[in-house]
């Protein structure tokens, strides 16, 4: 641009429009000149104009002016170009139209039109460009100017603050989002839960939350390193988002803990399915930095308003449910229920008691026969630990082994089992093999081969009569370490069995490299095979074929019914361990049975597997015609149960069964014996994730409160009235 020509005296006569097009300084210069009564700006003014023009061209800032009606009379051309226009295009445009009206964050923005009508001055007002494709932010200042007393318009300037604005946005993003995964952070999700619950209480809506904790993440982090751990967490976040969908509702609370908010869901069938989907998806193998790794996940679920109405209560209860899910063996979900408070306490006490149980002689071993499926001859036994607690009686190892693992008690316990089993087996008549379960925690200890060798040496048991049962989870650790351990154990001459195949990752790949003598197919997998349409049968056939090729034996675990046994024989599984042959027996019975030399068992059991019934003796309420009876429930299944406590109820009678905590189910009597009725549920129960059952829906506490105000019978504690039936 040629400056001198612009400040030629002839400019004084040009129109405002032409003037503006040439820059504010042309106009400014003319005005100054006019005011001073000069024909053209003097030298100092010229210098000032040049400086201002340089400034405009540098794009560090821009200038604008309007007339009294707020329409642009001047705007720096370069900024007009940034808006995708030329300054000539923009002249006459109402100034406020250059900017977006205030959004929800822009308290101050809304004040632009207000400020202009009030004819107030303003400084550095942050405004966002209204032009499409231009997402710039400007800080705009302006001052009104007057023609004598009369308001004549505005003059002002602006600067580009897009970069500052972005970094401020980034900073607030950082305050709300987890920088590793991009998910909401703990702060953000807890605010969100607070506001959601507050709104939902008013509207009596429900809202579920899931707390999720990765299983064995620490192992991966420790063995593969933190960058790998980070990469893994990112993939976990992606998988979660795929299932949950709503990005804003998923959060990483920190470490390997996640939380999900699920508004308007209270169906425990749906939530259970979703939790199972999440667990399943997160348990698929990951590839991080060239290594393959596998982790698992446990999920705790709590639902407002049933399990708490404030976010504190809900989160605490979901946490308790998560703790229960982990305590039940990980890789599971669990719904909150009020008895979890008690079980958390029970678990703590159990851990205390477990510390002295060995010393107090409360532990024993029993032995379950492993039978050749064709000949019915017992080929070996599995040693299973039994704890007889002084107050609580026999406690299942499924319950206390995980506690022992967590409380660092598995070592003394495992060593005791190993010695005891070798010692007893060495004294048995015949050559029965004994299998001992080895926890992955024992397997990770480099001292294990020494301890096994020691047990064999002191008891004199030939090594090939000892079999160590190991679960797939040992393959999650350092693979070089694992290989060394296998080699050391094989070097002792003991046999190795892969336990619980089909419950974990079930990758056939490692069977080729690990020197197993036997694969034990888990009972859940075998049971699944009898279900119509299941592919488990085909998979078992494949495992058997592979095992045969690798010269391994196969054992099907948990076979109870004759139809399962028949299927297993058809699939050529070589061995069977299950109630259909024998339950675990005490050592002295084993000695009695084997005295004759070999031990043969005829299979016996129900013809077919029944719908999994949870043998449960639970007091519940049965409500009929405003009468509530206290009944005991037996043989609960998803579709029905037996109830006891009322006599002579006609077939076809309908009850509402109250399982407590708002769990109501309509049931119809289908069979009626004198003291016992077989009832069928109108809506099937769903899995509670821990082998138990629960109702899909619960009666909301709002409804219960409303019902209590009237004289409703539902879920009222207990009352006695006369009726057609006698209470038993
Ligand atoms: P596991 O090693 O898979 O043992 C088989 C479990 O299935 C045993 O349960 C056995 O009693 C049960 N079982 C066998 N046949 C049937 C059947 O037909 N139907 C049903 N419903 N169950 C059957 P148990 O004794 O309660 O042991 C549970 C788990 O505890 C074992 O599973 C094993 O993982 C662990 N465990 C037991 N003893 C020890 C031990 O000494 N050390 C270690 N580390 N773990 C042990
Ligand atoms: Mg076992
Ligand atoms: Mg097993």
């Amino acid at each position: 641009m040629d400056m001198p020509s612009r400040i030629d005296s002839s400019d004084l006569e040009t129109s405002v429009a032409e003037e503006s097009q040439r820059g504010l300084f042309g106009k400014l210069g003319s005005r100054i000149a006019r005011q001073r009564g000069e024909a053209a700006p003097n030298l100092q003014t010229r210098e000032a104009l040049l400086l201002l023009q340089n400034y405009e061209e540098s794009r560090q800032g821009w200038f604008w002016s309007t007339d009294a009606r707020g329409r642009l009379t001047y705007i720096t051309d370069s900024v007009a170009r940034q808006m995708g226009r030329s300054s000539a295009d923009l002249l006459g445009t109402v100034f406020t139209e250059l900017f977006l009206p205030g959004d929800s964050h822009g308290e101050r923005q809304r004040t632009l039109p207000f400020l202009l009508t009030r004819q107030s001055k303003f400084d550095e007002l942050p405004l966002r460009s209204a032009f499409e494709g231009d997402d710039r932010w400007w800080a705009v200042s302006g001052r009104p100017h007057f023609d004598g007393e009369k308001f004549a318009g505005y003059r002002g300037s602006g600067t580009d603050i897009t970069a500052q604005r972005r970094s401020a946005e980034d900073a607030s993003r950082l305050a709300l989002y987890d920088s590793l995964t991009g998910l909401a952070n703990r702060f953000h999700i807890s605010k969100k839960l607070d506001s959601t619950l507050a709104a939902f209480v008013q509207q009596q809506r429900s809202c579920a939350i899931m707390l999720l904790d990765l299983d064995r993440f620490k192992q991966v982090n420790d063995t593969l390193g933190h960058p790998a751990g980070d990469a893994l967490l990112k993939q976990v976040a992606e998988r979660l988002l795929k299932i949950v969908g709503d990005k804003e509702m998923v959060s990483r609370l920190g470490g390997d803990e996640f939380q999900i908010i699920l508004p308007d869901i209270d169906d425990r069938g749906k939530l259970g399915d979703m939790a199972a989907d999440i667990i399943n998806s997160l348990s698929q193998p990951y590839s991080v930095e060239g290594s393959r790794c596998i982790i698992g996940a446990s999920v705790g679920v709590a639902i407002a308003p049933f399990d708490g109405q404030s976010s504190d209560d809900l989160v605490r209860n979901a946490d308790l449910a998560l703790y229960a899910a982990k305590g039940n063996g990980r890789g599971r979900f669990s719904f909150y229920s009020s008895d979890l408070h008690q079980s958390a306490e029970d678990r703590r006490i159990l851990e205390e008691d477990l510390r002295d149980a060995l010393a107090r002689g409360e532990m024993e071993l029993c032995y379950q026969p492993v039978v050749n499926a064709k000949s019915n001859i017992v080929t070996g036994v599995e040693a299973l630990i039994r704890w007889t607690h002084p107050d609580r009686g026999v406690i299942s190892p499924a319950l206390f082994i995980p506690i022992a693992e967590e409380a660092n008690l598995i070592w003394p316990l495992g060593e005791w089992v190993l010695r005891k089993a070798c010692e007893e087996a060495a004294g048995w008549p015949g050559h029965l093999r004994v299998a001992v379960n080895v926890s992955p925690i024992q397997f990770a200890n480099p001292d294990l081969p020494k301890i096994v060798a020691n047990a064999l040496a002191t008891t004199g048991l030939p090594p090939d009569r000892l079999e160590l049962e190991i679960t797939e989870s040992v393959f999650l650790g350092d693979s070089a370490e694992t290989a060394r351990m296998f080699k050391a154990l094989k070097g002792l001459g003991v046999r190795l069995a892969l336990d619980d195949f089909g419950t974990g990752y079930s990758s056939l790949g490692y069977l080729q490299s690990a020197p197993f003598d036997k694969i034990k197919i888990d009972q859940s997998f075998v049971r699944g095979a009898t279900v119509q349409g299941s592919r488990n049968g085909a998979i078992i056939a494949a495992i058997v074929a592979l095992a045969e090729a690798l010269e391994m034996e196969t054992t099907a675990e948990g076979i109870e019914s004759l139809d399962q046994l028949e299927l297993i024989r058809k699939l050529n599984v070589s061995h069977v361990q299950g109630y259909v042959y024998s339950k675990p027996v005490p050592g002295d019975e084993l000695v009695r049975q084997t005295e004759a030399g070999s031990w043969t068992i005829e299979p016996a059991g129900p013809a077919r597997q029944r719908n999994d019934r949870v043998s449960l003796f639970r007091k519940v309420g049965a409500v009929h015609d405003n009468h509530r009876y206290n009944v005991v429930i037996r043989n609960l299944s998803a579709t029905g149960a037996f109830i006891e406590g009322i006599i002579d109820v006609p077939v076809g009678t309908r009850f509402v069964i109250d399982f407590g905590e708002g769990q109501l189910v309509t049931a119809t009597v289908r069979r009626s014996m004198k003291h016992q009725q077989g009832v069928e549920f109108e809506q099937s129960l769903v899995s509670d994730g821990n082998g138990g059952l629960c109702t899909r829906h619960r009666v909301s506490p709002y409804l219960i409160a409303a019902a209590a105000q009237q004289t409703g019978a539902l879920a009222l504690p207990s009352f006695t009235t006369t009726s057609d039936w006698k209470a038993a």
Side-chain angles (χ1 to χ4, degrees), residues 436-557:
V436 172
N437 290 288
V438 173
S439 150
I441 295 176
Q442 290 172 275
F443 192 85
N445 188 324
D447 283 344
L448 181 66
K450 228 189 321 184
I451 285 162
V452 174
N454 203 284
L456 291 170
T458 49
T459 58
L461 185 75
D464 65 345
R465 281 184 58 199
L466 177 64
E467 188 165 80
L468 301 178
E469 295 195 359
I470 295 154
T471 56
E472 288 168 288
S473 54
V474 301
F475 295 103
L476 297 174
D478 184 315
S479 50
E481 248 350 281
T482 309
R484 253 199 302 283
M485 179 59 79
F486 274 122
K487 202 163 163 228
L489 292 174
K490 276 305 318 173
L492 297 174
V494 299
R495 288 169 47 103
L496 297 176
L498 176 61
D499 201 359
D500 299 345
F501 188 87
T503 55
Y505 332 104
S506 309
S507 155
L508 295 171
Y510 49 64
L511 288 181
Q512 276 164 309
S513 53
F516 287 113
D517 301 284
K518 174 185 267 187
I519 304 172
K520 300 187 76 173
I521 305 163
D522 191 71
Q523 69 178 54
S524 59
F525 206 70
V526 179
R527 283 186 193 177
T530 56
V531 175
Q532 280 253 319
S534 164
R535 287 152 64 196
N536 289 17
I539 296 172
I540 292 173
I543 295 167
V544 170
L546 182 70
E548 279 173 358
L550 296 168
E551 297 185 343
M552 299 176 187
E553 290 174 1
T554 42
T555 298
E557 292 188 86

Side-chain angles (χ1 to χ4, degrees), residues 92-138:
T93 307
V94 177
F95 183 60
T96 52
E97 285 175 6
L98 300 185
F99 310 102
L100 288 180
D103 54 25
S104 53
H105 320 286
E107 276 298 295
R108 297 173 63 198
Q109 230 173 298
R110 255 175 279 149
T111 61
L112 179 66
F114 176 77
L115 289 166
L116 295 183
T117 26
R118 290 276 300 265
Q119 300 172 7
S120 323
K121 71 175 182 125
F122 52 91
D123 287 305
E124 315 250 306
L125 198 60
L127 295 169
R128 184 159 194 187
S129 169
F131 294 93
E132 213 175 310
D134 177 24
D135 52 1
R136 248 170 282 261
W137 281 85
W138 311 105

Side-chain angles (χ1 to χ4, degrees), residues 349-368:
I349 296 172
L350 218 55
E351 184 183 318
E352 285 299 302
D353 295 345
L354 196 54
R355 292 186 189 278
D356 314 315
L358 262 185
R360 285 200 304 250
E362 291 165 8
M363 294 292 179
E364 265 179 317
L365 291 185
C366 63
Y367 300 93
Q368 187 175 29

